[in-house]
Amino acid sequence: MVKSLLSFAVAALSLSGSVLAAPKYQPWSTTTHFPVVDKWLENKCPGKYQACTDDNISIRKDFDAMPPQERKAYTDAINCLRNQPSQLDPNVYPGAINRFFDYAMVHVNRTRDAHLNGFFLVWHRMYLHLFEQDLRKTCGYTGSFPYWNWPATADNLRGSPIFNGDAFSMSGDGYFTGNTPLQIAPTFILPHGTGGGCIMSGPFAGMTRTINDVTNAFLLNGTTPPMSIYAKNESCITRDLNTFVAQTWTNYTAVQQAVEAPDLNTFEILLNGVVGGGQLGIHSGAHFIMGSPASNIFSSAQDPIWYPLHTMLDRVYTSWQIRHPDQADAVWGNETPLNLPPSPNVTLDTQVPDWGYFDLDTYTVGELKSTTAGPFCYKYDINV
Ligand SMILES: [Cu+2]
């Protein structure tokens, strides 16, 4: 059944006041379910989900460390999703030209519900999980779900397996469009990267984009964007690999500082910097390594690099949880971005905004905190 995302938005809105959805499952204790390594295999929701055990846990891996054929199987599966029809209403979401773009469109629709607020980390964790399951169920992918190891590639973007542009990469740079500096904000200018044009080679060479970039203002001043953000405007996905950004904001020291952040508030600032200001965080930095559309908060999920980029974000968050066992269930933030308009604080019992038709179930924040319980059963090859 095709559902309008807007109806979900209305539903989410009506739930976001003082009426909190009752947790469907036993509430999790705050200290025992997650980080102690010998608790990895514990599952707090017996009956609802298959138990997460040593035998069925999946291991997420560094894209660059995967065998070339496994990397190609992953990008083949993404291209398979691009060949599946959209299930969204074309009258409302004309830019959703296939199932891959349905995900991108859900991200556009949910940008104001899942960024710079208390849902950011768990909403993206679940979105990645749904995409991963879709690659497996719809497109037969059996390999690992990879992350892009930002600091490991920072000094050699174009030479790294993930961006070298060969058949086993995530495609490389765009063609070079000149050295004009990039004006990010009135007082924030970045040097141009080494590309700027359409993707030249690899599995996503010449790939089409349909969704225009959307101004951050809709996130930063609390106003509702027009329906035209869902329109279809076809051009090519561009990239502009930016070594300055990579070396400045996603180096090993920056990632290390994030996983050592003493509390979730500090952690989130180290992830996202001050949006609209002159400093990036490690997550926003990774976006700006790529250039548009990957650097646009709303439309970024059109570039397939979005998935390994955010799997790395989830790896950093998981590592932070493991390093802070007493805070693994910590919550931070409000229900609206930057608390505009003012909204309640998010709690473990707050219902998470949905993911469109990709999952019609509802989840509380607390249900999405552990990667080895509830709907999840995965860990990372190496924690930060
Ligand atoms: Cu996002």
Side-chain angles (χ1 to χ4, degrees):
M1 181 172 56
V2 178
K3 291 235 179 187
S4 161
L5 285 170
L6 286 179
S7 66
F8 290 109
V10 172
L13 212 66
S14 64
L15 282 166
S16 66
S18 55
V19 184
L20 296 174
K24 284 181 302 179
Y25 316 114
Q26 277 300 101
W28 295 340
S29 78
T30 52
T31 54
T32 58
H33 81 267
F34 189 72
V36 186
V37 173
D38 64 2
K39 296 278 184 182
W40 268 120
L41 309 180
E42 193 171 11
N43 188 296
K44 293 291 178 184
C45 306
K48 170 69 178 175
Y49 302 103
Q50 191 184 9
C52 187
T53 70
D54 224 357
D55 295 326
N56 66 8
I57 194 165
S58 69
I59 316 272
R60 294 183 173 183
K61 294 180 181 160
D62 183 339
F63 185 93
D64 284 7
M66 283 174 18
Q69 289 307 334
E70 189 175 355
R71 288 188 250 135
K72 181 159 187 311
Y74 173 71
T75 57
D76 282 350
I78 290 175
N79 281 331
C80 158
L81 271 194
R82 291 173 60 203
N83 287 320
Q84 309 299 316
S86 169
Q87 302 292 316
L88 293 175
D89 182 346
N91 296 310
V92 184
Y93 305 102
I97 56 171
N98 58 48
R99 192 173 177 88
F100 178 84
F101 276 79
D102 284 358
Y103 282 92
M105 198 58 90
V106 167
H107 188 269
V108 173
N109 184 278
R110 280 280 167 257
T111 296
R112 295 170 74 243
D113 302 306
H115 295 86
L116 307 181
N117 68 4
F119 299 121
F120 172 62
L121 291 166
V122 293
W123 188 90
H124 284 78
R125 171 173 282 173
M126 186 64 176
Y127 180 97
L128 291 167
H129 171 73
L130 295 170
F131 185 79
E132 176 189 359
Q133 297 311 307
D134 213 359
L135 292 183
R136 299 187 188 288
K137 288 178 191 149
T138 307
C139 292
Y141 182 58
T142 58
S144 299
F145 196 61
Y147 60 87
W148 163 25
N149 193 341
W150 312 322
T153 59
D155 292 333
N156 187 19
L157 291 169
R158 281 183 160 216
S160 300
I162 193 166
F163 294 128
N164 69 14
D166 72 15
F168 310 101
S169 69
M170 286 295 294
S171 277
D173 215 346
Y175 64 82
F176 185 57
T177 56
N179 271 320
T180 309
L182 306 159
Q183 183 100 37
I184 306 302
T187 57
F188 187 30
I189 297 172
L190 292 174
H192 200 279
T194 47
C198 306
I199 297 172
M200 294 182 289
S201 60
F204 310 117
M207 183 174 166
T208 296
R209 64 178 286 180
T210 59
I211 306 164
N212 280 350
D213 286 356
V214 179
T215 171
N216 271 351
F218 293 119
L219 205 54
L220 304 181
N221 66 16
T223 53
T224 306
M227 294 295 286
S228 60
I229 65 172
Y230 308 124
K232 181 165 108 177
N233 294 287
E234 287 188 291
S235 60
C236 66
I237 289 182
T238 53
R239 286 183 180 174
D240 184 19
L241 293 181
N242 196 312
T243 299
F244 172 80
V245 173
Q247 292 180 334
T248 306
W249 285 290
T250 68
N251 57 56
Y252 280 109
T253 305
V255 173
Q256 198 65 29
Q257 281 174 346
V259 295
E260 290 175 2
D263 52 60
L264 199 55
N265 179 25
T266 310
F267 180 69
E268 300 254 0
I269 291 169
L270 292 173
L271 292 181
N272 292 320
V274 178
V275 176
Q279 285 295 325
L280 301 173
I282 55 173
H283 162 240
S284 46
H287 278 270
F288 278 93
I289 291 172
M290 303 303 303
S292 169
S295 58
N296 186 264
I297 298 183
F298 284 80
S299 69
S300 53
Q302 295 178 96
D303 185 332
I305 194 60
W306 195 98
Y307 293 91
L309 188 163
H310 288 85
T311 307
M312 177 68 180
L313 171 71
D314 186 68
R315 175 183 178 234
V316 172
Y317 177 42
T318 303
S319 298
W320 183 86
Q321 290 180 299
I322 289 170
R323 284 166 172 265
H324 301 80
D326 54 327
Q327 298 186 74
D329 273 342
V331 289
W332 168 88
N334 296 78
E335 295 180 5
T336 48
L338 303 175
N339 200 24
L340 292 170
S343 59
N345 284 322
V346 163
T347 72
L348 288 175
D349 292 328
T350 310
Q351 188 168 330
V352 181
D354 65 76
W355 302 265
Y357 71 84
F358 292 115
D359 194 331
L360 300 179
D361 226 333
T362 55
Y363 300 87
T364 62
V365 170
E367 286 171 318
L368 305 181
K369 279 286 180 184
S370 168
T371 69
T372 58
F376 306 124
C377 186
Y378 67 85
K379 60 183 177 181
Y380 288 91
D381 54 351
I382 301 167
N383 294 310
V384 182

